[in-house]
Amino acid sequence: MPHHGNEEEHNASAGQHNAHGNGQEPVIRDHRKVDPVTGQARHPEGGQSAPGAGAQPGAADSDGDALAQAEEILNGVDMPAEESVAQGAPAGSTGNAEAAELRNDLLRLQAEYVNYRKRVERDRAVAGEMAVIGVLNSLLPVLDDVDAARQHGDLTDGPFAAIANKLENALKTYGLVRINETGVEFDPTIHEALIQQPGEDIEVDTVSQVLRSGYKSGERVLRAAQVIVAVPA
């Protein structure tokens, strides 16, 4: 419509007329993310979330995306089972295979542990036996002196004879066995022949005299007995 007067006054009056005609006031939105006065970051729509308020719309969108991704992953995991059923395979065959594999692993670990325990016990027993044998070997020269004193009549009676008997009895508890028998067949595993003499009525090599006693512990020979062997004439 034609108007008279200033252009600015006409625009202002037209704006007022439109505002009153529509029943709404003009809305001014400030989309700046930084407040020009305080210099602090603004929240969406220029406001700040009140304390204790819920999640922001952006977080809700991200939660929705996460749920959608989770559903896609679950659907992807379920696909092999559906395909196996469609192909005639039993449902949950993958889980059964994994359970069987875990059970086999546990059985293998149990067998390895049992073998390890047996090996440790065997090594411990061998170590204890070797320690006893070491002590017995170190005492053999003492037993030789005791035998020599007994042959010379020095240990027929008295405190030294009692001590010698206690020592020999204590060593017997650890499996020490003396090899000093005569009239038995010569055995190269426990006898060491120093002298051979022809004997009457001898059919096989026989121990006629023991020069130095031998000793063994169980089936282990600690020292062979030095003997004189009578051989057939």
Side-chain angles (χ1 to χ4, degrees), residues 39 55 72-73 81 111 121 124-125 128 140 154 166 176-177 195 215:
E72 293 178 359
I73 293 174
E121 292 177 355
R124 186 181 301 169
L140 294 184
D154 297 335
K166 289 182 180 180
L176 185 65
V177 177
I195 302 173
Y215 295 93

Side-chain angles (χ1 to χ4, degrees), residues 6-189:
N6 192 353
E7 183 71 18
E8 294 179 357
E9 294 178 357
H10 175 72
N11 294 334
S13 62
Q16 295 176 0
H17 181 269
N18 293 333
H20 292 291
N22 297 331
Q24 296 179 355
E25 296 182 358
V27 178
I28 301 175
R29 292 184 175 85
D30 188 358
H31 294 286
R32 289 177 293 182
K33 296 182 179 180
V34 179
D35 193 335
V37 178
T38 62
Q40 297 180 355
R42 289 178 174 178
H43 292 280
E45 301 300 331
Q48 295 181 355
S49 59
Q56 298 179 359
D61 295 339
S62 63
D63 293 339
D65 295 339
L67 291 175
Q69 293 177 2
E71 291 178 356
E72 293 178 359
I73 293 174
L74 292 176
N75 292 333
V77 171
D78 293 340
M79 286 301 295
E82 295 175 358
E83 293 178 359
S84 62
V85 172
Q87 296 176 1
S93 60
T94 303
N96 293 335
E98 292 179 355
E101 184 178 358
L102 291 176
R103 182 174 180 275
N104 292 333
D105 292 340
L106 290 176
L107 292 176
R108 183 171 61 254
L109 289 175
Q110 184 181 8
E112 291 178 356
Y113 172 73
V114 171
N115 293 333
Y116 168 76
R117 186 176 60 184
K118 290 181 179 179
R119 184 170 61 253
V120 169
E121 292 177 355
R122 183 174 61 252
D123 294 343
R124 186 181 301 169
V126 171
E129 182 181 356
M130 294 303 297
V132 172
I133 289 175
V135 174
L136 294 178
N137 283 325
S138 63
L139 292 177
L140 294 184
V142 178
L143 296 178
D144 293 338
D145 294 339
V146 171
D147 289 341
R150 184 177 288 114
Q151 291 175 3
H152 288 83
D154 297 335
L155 294 179
T156 56
D157 195 5
F160 290 105
I163 293 174
N165 292 330
K166 289 182 180 180
L167 176 61
E168 292 175 345
N169 292 330
L171 295 178
K172 287 180 180 179
T173 60
Y174 289 96
L176 185 65
V177 177
R178 187 190 297 270
I179 304 174
N180 61 348
E181 295 180 354
T182 59
V184 297
E185 184 178 356
F186 174 78
D187 186 356
T189 60

Side-chain angles (χ1 to χ4, degrees), residues 193-212:
L194 297 183
I195 302 173
Q196 290 184 354
Q197 296 177 346
E200 298 179 358
D201 299 331
I202 298 297
E203 297 180 358
V204 294
D205 296 347
T206 305
V207 176
S208 60
Q209 183 179 353
V210 177
L211 301 179
R212 188 182 70 174

